Amino acid sequence: MKRLILYAILLAISIYLALIYRNSAFLNIFYGGIFALLFLVVLNIISIYWTDISINTPESVVQAGKEINVEIILNSRGIIPTGRIGIYIKSFNSYTGKKEVTRFYVSADAGSSTITNCYYNARIPGNIEFSIKKAWVEDYLGILRLPVFKHDRYEHTVMVIPVLYKVPVFITQSVEDNIYENDNAQNTFIAPDSMENGGIRQYIPGDSFKNIHWKLSAKSDGLVSRQKYSNSSCIALFFVCPGKIENDYKKRRFIQAVLSISTSLVSNGCIHYICWYNKNDNCITRYIVKQESDSYCFVQEGINIITSKKNQDKGVEWIHNMYLRQYNVQKDIPYIAINTEFELFADGNKIIQYDYKDLKNSVGKTEIVL
């Protein structure tokens, strides 16, 4: 805008001098400036018509403290290179409600596709939505700026999970020998006839690199992961009890504790349900967790149970009894529970209160026995 104002001032001065001194040279400068301006307008319009802009997030899950890669994809189908293209990318954290707008500049040669990598620092767990707020094309001199209407208007969501800690877990033989719930998920964990004691599936972001089948990945178009199977039919319950947490740091630590426990259960062959009270529907919501990525549903769906300051404290016994009534369960099912005071319970008995300020060391002190 400043350059356009300066350009307009120079044109005004040239026509003023041409009229005052009746000098044709200044008049030619004025007409030449008008022609150049119109020419730049035409080039901008052509660039807008033949340009498509979109964004992409290669990773759907990123650990807190690492960078989120957002790709700006610029497709130019015209016969001339584009001028400088400015793009405003909006990021919205659904957990904190914080919005940020970052400006980037890209350009592309004629008939080419350009990918520019932009990086955001993921500090707080939650879902971050990325979208293009607006885009514009500038001419080669940076005088004119016209909006680009043909750009991606979809939101791309990246889940940011906290750093996960290892929690010691011991599964007793009596638990492994019992089938507590008639759920089809158990059938998917029967080990097939395979030399590798498992099957294969497409790689999912968040899978451990130790489980990648490199030989098959080299023969296919993408990464392939080994699907680990377990003869264990342990289907336990993990209750997350709602309560008031007003400190944002404590909220993040609570999410970290929940996911650390859930992923540690899975890594020890314990399929389980992660359950919490949904106050909007007045019911218990549950998700079956068969692999680490399944635990992330808590970040997606259950995070709202601790973001509201109006939450009522619900005890372990209350949420356990409500689960039994809602799902009509008659047998005793092994369960653990954690409340917002970081108290961990096993079958209703308190076993430890984690120190959320030193969570990494605190979770490793006591073994969870099921």
Side-chain angles (χ1 to χ4, degrees):
M1 188 64 180
K2 293 181 179 180
R3 293 188 180 184
L4 180 59
I5 295 174
L6 179 60
Y7 193 81
I9 292 174
L10 292 176
L11 289 180
I13 292 174
S14 62
I15 190 63
Y16 174 78
L17 295 176
L19 294 176
I20 294 296
Y21 298 104
R22 300 184 182 276
N23 189 317
S24 60
F26 286 110
L27 189 61
N28 291 333
I29 292 174
F30 173 76
Y31 286 127
I34 294 294
F35 175 80
L37 188 63
L38 293 176
F39 180 72
L40 293 175
V41 170
V42 172
L43 290 181
N44 267 16
I45 293 175
I46 293 175
S47 295
I48 292 172
Y49 183 78
W50 292 107
T51 299
D52 293 330
I53 304 173
S54 61
I55 61 173
N56 180 48
T57 51
E59 298 176 300
S60 58
V61 179
V62 175
Q63 195 174 80
K66 296 186 177 180
E67 293 181 327
I68 300 175
N69 181 21
V70 179
E71 297 177 342
I72 299 177
I73 305 171
L74 176 61
N75 293 315
S76 176
R77 303 186 306 276
I79 58 176
I80 58 174
T82 66
R84 190 171 70 161
I85 297 179
I87 302 170
Y88 277 142
I89 295 183
K90 180 180 70 174
S91 60
F92 172 72
N93 191 318
S94 59
Y95 173 58
T96 62
K98 184 178 180 180
K99 297 179 181 179
E100 292 181 350
V101 177
T102 309
R103 180 169 56 188
F104 297 95
Y105 290 102
V106 296
S107 61
D109 295 330
S112 66
S113 179
T114 302
I115 298 178
T116 303
N117 293 309
C118 311
Y119 297 94
Y120 289 78
N121 187 14
R123 298 183 299 271
I124 300 176
N127 293 328
I128 300 182
E129 301 169 354
F130 294 95
S131 60
I132 298 177
K133 183 177 182 180
K134 65 179 180 179
W136 67 89
V137 173
E138 295 182 359
D139 59 79
Y140 301 112
L141 299 179
I143 298 175
L144 294 174
R145 176 187 296 182
L146 297 179
V148 177
F149 300 104
K150 297 171 66 176
H151 62 75
D152 183 6
R153 300 183 185 276
Y154 296 101
E155 294 180 346
H156 300 260
T157 302
V158 176
M159 184 191 304
V160 180
I161 63 171
V163 177
L164 303 181
Y165 301 134
K166 186 176 181 180
V167 181
V169 175
F170 178 75
I171 307 300
T172 61
Q173 187 63 41
S174 60
V175 172
E176 291 184 353
D177 291 340
N178 286 295
I179 300 177
Y180 292 104
E181 300 215 15
N182 184 18
D183 194 287
N184 292 330
Q186 298 177 40
N187 298 327
T188 64
F189 272 72
I190 299 176
D193 295 330
S194 172
M195 295 296 293
E196 299 195 43
N197 192 32
I200 58 172
R201 58 171 171 76
Q202 187 178 3
Y203 171 80
I204 300 175
D207 288 350
S208 173
F209 282 103
K210 296 179 181 179
N211 296 333
I212 294 178
H213 198 304
W214 295 107
K215 291 183 179 179
L216 291 181
S217 297
K219 298 178 182 179
S220 60
D221 295 333
L223 294 177
V224 175
S225 292
R226 293 183 178 89
Q227 173 66 66
K228 290 188 175 181
Y229 295 89
S230 171
N231 291 320
S232 168
S233 57
C234 167
I235 302 246
L237 300 176
F238 179 23
F239 295 119
V240 181
C241 304
K244 297 178 182 179
I245 301 182
E246 298 183 359
N247 185 290
D248 288 338
Y249 174 76
K250 196 173 181 180
K251 290 178 184 178
R252 296 196 295 270
R253 284 301 201 182
F254 185 74
I255 299 169
Q256 197 171 22
V258 171
L259 294 187
S260 294
I261 293 172
S262 182
T263 54
S264 295
L265 290 173
V266 170
S267 65
N268 284 273
C270 184
I271 312 170
H272 60 281
Y273 284 108
I274 183 170
C275 317
W276 60 84
Y277 173 63
N278 187 332
K279 65 178 181 179
N280 295 328
D281 299 328
N282 192 29
C283 67
I284 301 296
T285 299
R286 72 176 186 179
Y287 277 85
I288 191 164
V289 180
K290 297 176 285 186
Q291 56 189 11
E292 180 177 313
S293 58
D294 294 334
S295 301
Y296 303 157
C297 65
F298 179 74
V299 180
Q300 289 181 311
E301 303 291 340
I303 199 170
N304 290 329
I305 71 172
I306 58 172
T307 57
S308 175
K309 296 181 180 180
K310 298 180 180 180
N311 280 338
Q312 296 181 352
D313 293 331
K314 300 294 184 181
V316 175
E317 184 178 355
W318 183 89
I319 195 170
H320 176 241
N321 291 335
M322 186 173 186
Y323 178 90
L324 297 179
R325 292 194 303 270
Q326 179 175 325
Y327 291 98
N328 194 26
V329 178
Q330 303 298 328
K331 298 181 179 180
D332 292 332
I333 302 175
Y335 73 90
I336 58 174
I338 188 172
N339 60 23
T340 51
E341 295 300 321
F342 290 81
E343 295 175 326
L344 184 68
F345 297 82
D347 294 330
N349 299 315
K350 178 181 174 180
I351 57 177
I352 190 176
Q353 182 173 10
Y354 292 139
D355 179 6
Y356 70 91
K357 295 181 180 179
D358 187 20
L359 192 62
K360 182 178 180 179
N361 295 321
S362 183
V363 297
K365 291 181 177 179
T366 303
E367 186 176 47
I368 297 176
V369 179
L370 287 171

